[in-house]
Amino acid sequence: MYQDFGQFINGQWRKGSSSEAVIVIDPGNGKPLGEIPAATAADTQEALTSAEHAFSVWKSTPAWTRADLLQEVARQMTACINDAAPLISKESGKPLAQAKREWELSIDQFIWYAEEARRIYGRIVESRVPGGRCEVLHEPVGVVAAFTAWNFPVVLVARKLAPALAAGCTVVLRPSSEVPGSAMLIFECLRKAGLPAGVANLVVGATADTYEPLITSPIVKKVSLTGSTQLGQQMIRDSAATIKRLSMELGGNAPVIVYEDADLEKALDLSVATKFANCGQVCVTCDRFYVHESRYDDFVRGFAERVSKLKVGYGLEEGTQMGPLINPRRLKAIEAIVEDARNKGARIVTGGQRIDLNGGYFYAPTVIADVPDDALAIAEENFGPIAAITSFSSSENLWRRVNSSEFALSAYAFTRDPARIRETVARLEAGMVGINSYALAAAEAPFGGIKASGMGREGGSEGIHDYMNVKLAQIVV
């Protein structure tokens, strides 16, 4: 499969020019899935040149034509869902049902932004100059360099491609080398849909050959990243010389407040399903739980009971609810977080160890109670199958504890009190807030964070504007 696709440059699949290969590993068994001849810096430069040439035509293509093409991409993706889901599962380790759902959410992105392409509205502002008028116009930024992470190998790609193409931009995408095949499937759908050559390009290879040429090139006018906060900080520094527009969805460490009046059964059912989806490797997942002392024991007990029933296994096995971590580095990181909690007096209620299964990178779904605020499980993003639970007695110092993290992507609360709902939404420091719900990621809603969790938004009507410049025309006749 990887040999058939490889690099997508100027509308064609081709092998990378490097003598080195990118080896893709199945995290469910630790075995190679395949390898890809890597792109060289020259390949990346060719992709950039292709995108630059295509931009002059694509930006002038009528919005309705761009919309029709994006709708066709969605149809092509719908037709191959049964082939796509198993590959996503094998590359990322997530259960097949979750992989299928991710592909469906990616289709939503292309459908939504096909519609948004037709709704790029400007404004007319009354001018104070006699006989004049002010026109506010929106124009595509130009060539976009997009970088995506491994935890959602298709929806992260779709979130960048769909709005960029709808806006009239051209793109060079560098997906994670751990899950490149999933991105390739989307690009094959772009090809089948008839996207003009050069409008969207894909390169896979070493950082020096694929990252550096993109981030330093004056051809690139905008950079979009989904990745770690550390990588985002580095990218800001690297792009400063050419003053690129940036949008970044970075790390998270989402708090969950469970008030004394919460529907406990609902909170538990939703929290367990959300926390251990994709083995906890989700930036907006619920990480740290602040439970009112009157419900604390029941919450911890109910959480552990539900977690103990989760089926951990290979993603393609029927009934699997949680798969492996993505690589051995994540295993070691999770072990360190759990050991830190133990050393600081927290109680491991369930889990807390590796699972020996088929040579894969499996860690037991873990519930830790009585976690102090300075433990890594609370203080930092764990990005794994760890639910850290602590208690609170009053709201006097709750907000300080909840908002103390440098991350501010998402936050959640469970309560039935309307007044408390309004106060909680107002006081939580986060780009997104869920009340009695974890459903934040949808094509029609803006997705993104504040503080160290990033800048810009993906999704919603806001998403397309991150790929557009605003131009004012003062016209006097």
Side-chain angles (χ1 to χ4, degrees):
M1 177 268 187
Y2 299 111
Q3 295 288 339
D4 293 338
F5 292 150
Q7 319 294 328
F8 191 73
I9 300 173
N10 201 28
Q12 295 183 335
W13 289 110
R14 48 181 277 187
K15 294 182 179 179
S17 303
S18 176
S19 59
E20 302 295 324
V22 175
I23 299 173
V24 185
I25 302 297
D26 184 335
N29 56 31
K31 297 177 181 179
L33 281 170
E35 59 181 50
I36 308 157
T40 62
D43 293 328
T44 303
Q45 184 57 51
E46 187 177 343
L48 273 171
T49 301
S50 173
E52 183 181 33
H53 290 163
F55 177 64
S56 61
V57 176
W58 185 244
K59 71 176 181 179
S60 301
T61 300
W64 287 72
T65 302
R66 298 199 302 268
D68 290 343
L69 273 166
L70 293 182
Q71 291 284 9
E72 181 58 27
V73 173
R75 286 189 285 271
Q76 293 292 336
M77 291 180 67
T78 301
C80 68
I81 187 170
N82 291 329
D83 295 325
L87 176 64
I88 298 167
S89 177
K90 286 189 283 188
E91 282 195 331
S92 67
K94 65 183 59 178
L96 184 61
Q98 294 176 27
K100 182 178 180 182
R101 179 59 179 153
E102 182 181 346
W103 189 260
E104 291 170 342
L105 291 173
S106 302
I107 294 170
D108 286 349
Q109 293 287 330
F110 285 96
I111 293 173
W112 173 263
Y113 281 106
E115 296 166 350
E116 286 298 293
R118 302 185 180 104
R119 299 181 178 89
I120 300 173
Y121 300 129
R123 289 188 295 139
I124 301 295
V125 180
E126 289 298 323
S127 173
R128 65 180 64 193
V129 178
R133 68 177 183 184
C134 297
E135 295 182 358
V136 181
L137 310 172
H138 298 277
E139 299 178 341
V141 169
V143 176
V144 175
F147 301 85
T148 55
W150 45 261
N151 58 328
F152 285 90
V154 290
V155 78
L156 298 181
V157 171
R159 279 183 184 169
K160 299 181 190 311
L161 285 177
L165 299 179
C169 296
T170 57
V171 183
V172 180
L173 175 85
R174 181 187 186 266
S176 167
S177 295
E178 290 175 291
V179 289
S182 300
M184 292 174 190
L185 290 178
I186 291 185
F187 272 78
E188 177 63 2
C189 291
L190 294 174
R191 187 192 68 80
K192 289 181 177 179
L195 193 72
V199 172
N201 305 268
L202 177 146
V203 291
V204 181
T207 299
D209 293 322
T210 55
Y211 170 83
E212 291 180 10
L214 292 175
I215 206 69
T216 60
S217 173
I219 293 174
V220 173
K221 304 303 181 186
K222 175 182 169 62
V223 172
S224 179
L225 166 70
T226 300
S228 69
T229 295
Q230 292 77 14
L231 177 57
Q233 291 168 329
Q234 184 63 50
M235 196 170 282
I236 291 170
R237 290 190 289 268
D238 292 342
S239 62
T242 48
I243 312 182
K244 304 181 190 305
R245 287 189 62 179
L246 301 170
S247 58
M248 297 187 170
E249 194 261 283
L250 307 176
N253 185 15
V256 183
I257 303 170
V258 181
Y259 290 103
E260 63 269 31
D261 69 330
D263 182 335
L264 206 61
E265 295 302 306
K266 179 179 181 179
L268 286 166
D269 288 343
L270 291 177
S271 296
V272 171
T274 300
K275 172 68 250 188
F276 299 101
N278 202 23
C279 199
Q281 300 168 121
V282 182
C283 56
V284 292
T285 195
C286 37
D287 279 332
R288 46 196 176 107
F289 294 84
Y290 298 83
V291 184
H292 190 270
E293 60 183 6
S294 66
R295 314 300 298 276
Y296 184 73
D297 290 341
D298 289 340
F299 186 86
V300 172
R301 186 183 308 110
F303 211 106
E305 288 173 355
R306 286 163 171 79
V307 168
S308 67
K309 297 175 183 177
L310 292 175
K311 180 181 177 181
V312 180
Y314 191 68
L316 295 181
E317 291 179 0
E318 187 173 354
T320 293
Q321 294 170 288
M322 193 185 92
L325 291 157
I326 189 66
N327 55 42
R329 297 188 304 277
R330 291 306 311 152
L331 267 176
K332 292 180 181 179
I334 294 303
E335 285 182 319
I337 292 169
V338 173
E339 186 61 23
D340 172 78
R342 280 196 182 101
N343 292 339
K344 289 175 177 169
R347 176 166 51 100
I348 311 301
V349 184
T350 187
Q353 71 282 326
R354 294 191 187 196
I355 299 176
D356 184 9
L357 184 63
N358 301 327
Y361 312 131
F362 291 92
Y363 196 90
T366 299
V367 178
I368 310 178
D370 308 335
V371 186
D373 287 354
D374 64 342
L376 295 178
I378 289 280
E380 297 184 7
E381 179 182 34
N382 67 62
F383 218 63
I386 299 173
I389 308 175
T390 187
S391 65
F392 73 95
S393 57
S394 70
S395 60
E396 184 175 339
N397 67 352
L398 174 64
W399 299 115
R400 176 190 57 79
R401 296 173 67 197
V402 167
N403 291 326
S404 63
S405 175
E406 65 174 337
F407 300 108
L409 182 60
S410 59
Y412 308 95
F414 288 86
T415 179
R416 299 185 238 208
D417 184 334
R420 182 173 278 159
I421 288 172
R422 298 316 311 167
E423 179 191 13
T424 301
V425 170
R427 299 196 66 167
L428 280 172
E429 295 177 2
M432 300 174 286
V433 175
I435 302 295
N436 301 319
S437 171
Y438 291 108
L440 296 179
E444 64 274 15
F447 187 98
I450 59 174
K451 295 164 66 172
S453 289
M455 62 187 79
R457 292 296 180 267
E458 294 182 327
S461 58
E462 293 84 357
I464 199 168
H465 289 287
D466 269 2
Y467 294 89
M468 308 199 79
N469 290 325
V470 177
K471 176 184 284 184
L472 170 66
Q474 168 77 272
I475 300 172
V476 179
V477 293

